[in-house]
Amino acid sequence: MSIPQILLRQDGGLVPASIWDPAAAELGTLRLWLEMTDISTLSTDSGKTTRPTTTGDLIYVVADKSGNGSDMVQATSGNRPTAVINAIGDKPSVRFTRGSSQYLKLAAAVKVATPFTAYLLHKLSSSANTRCAMSGNATDSFCWYYSSGHVFAMDQTATAALAGPGTAGLNFPITTSGYLIHTITFDGTYFRDIWDGVPTQSYASASAVAWSGTAFTTLGRREDTTNTYHDGDIAGVRLYDGKIHTGRQIQYTVWDMYHRAGLRFPAWAGAN
């Protein structure tokens, strides 16, 4: 896969002249690809035939674009997240409201082996309380969450694997004012934390052995004993295993996710 040529948009943003292929072999195995800004992947019915048309419409299914059939589903109407029409220009997003216990779930877990690289395009509704964006099942629990004070953390079955990073209390650039792409890579010992394609830091996991294989099952809720719900909009998810993405691969994947979502690119790309 060649690095795409870069073109300058009229508004100052940068656009790949050829779209980065999310399923390219050199990126590893694409286990899950959710693109909520593609309205054809959003359905308000179990048959995946009806698209949301109004902000507040309940989302029954978000279809997986990886080819693996890992659609995210919520059969219980009271727990369904809602569509946000024209969330990003003319493109939609999906809103998870903590107080309404909204989440989506896979029928079968997506197993992601070490090493892995994961991307999350999202915007928080609140900077307070703990908000779990993604997790595994109750017995093989993986939780990607944000706690009070803008601290990012990941853990497994309530055992801290990293916590932003722990007692150091490093604040991450979490914001409620706009969408960001948060990328995590893990090689079996060290996590890398990347915001909008710019590495924040690398640090060792406190429970590396437990991360030899991770099950992703849920979007918007933690699946172990705490059942912590998310509070914010999620617009895209990509999960890869078998590969730690290089800095250039991460930057071009971030470019591609922004491009597909119709968003302006991050500052390092000369877009803001």
Side-chain angles (χ1 to χ4, degrees), residues 4-197:
Q5 297 296 310
I6 302 301
L7 302 178
L8 186 65
R9 285 196 322 210
Q10 288 185 345
D11 66 0
L14 298 176
V15 178
S18 58
I19 295 299
W20 193 239
D21 179 9
E26 67 187 82
L27 295 177
T29 302
L30 180 59
R31 296 295 185 191
L32 181 66
W33 176 12
L34 304 177
E35 192 170 299
M36 288 76 158
T37 53
D38 177 358
I39 199 165
S40 70
T41 70
L42 306 182
S43 303
T44 59
D45 65 318
S46 60
K48 300 190 288 186
T49 60
T50 307
R51 307 288 164 247
T53 58
T54 304
T55 293
D57 283 352
L58 301 180
I59 299 299
Y60 198 120
V61 181
V62 176
D64 174 32
K65 298 179 70 170
S66 72
N68 298 319
S70 299
D71 295 347
M72 306 295 296
V73 178
Q74 179 51 266
T76 303
S77 61
N79 296 122
R80 290 176 195 156
T82 58
V84 183
I85 303 301
N86 300 330
I88 305 170
D90 61 353
K91 297 180 183 295
S93 185
V94 174
R95 178 161 297 164
F96 296 80
T97 301
R98 176 187 174 92
S100 299
S101 303
Q102 296 172 347
Y103 66 101
L104 296 166
K105 194 164 183 177
L106 289 162
V110 173
K111 293 292 288 185
V112 179
T114 301
F116 70 78
T117 303
Y119 297 85
L120 177 67
L121 170 59
H122 73 129
K123 179 179 72 172
L124 294 175
S125 296
S126 168
S127 61
N129 302 315
T130 300
R131 301 158 306 283
C132 185
M134 299 170 60
S135 81
N137 54 40
T139 57
D140 191 12
S141 184
F142 167 102
C143 187
W144 177 325
Y145 68 94
Y146 303 90
S147 62
S148 300
H150 292 189
V151 175
F152 161 72
M154 301 175 82
D155 66 19
Q156 188 165 21
T157 318
T159 300
L162 74 88
T167 56
L170 176 66
N171 285 346
F172 292 83
I174 300 170
T175 177
T176 60
S177 62
Y179 287 86
L180 290 171
I181 296 177
H182 192 179
T183 307
I184 290 295
T185 69
F186 182 62
D187 63 6
T189 302
Y190 289 94
F191 284 94
R192 277 196 305 160
D193 182 68
I194 300 112
W195 289 91
D196 275 342

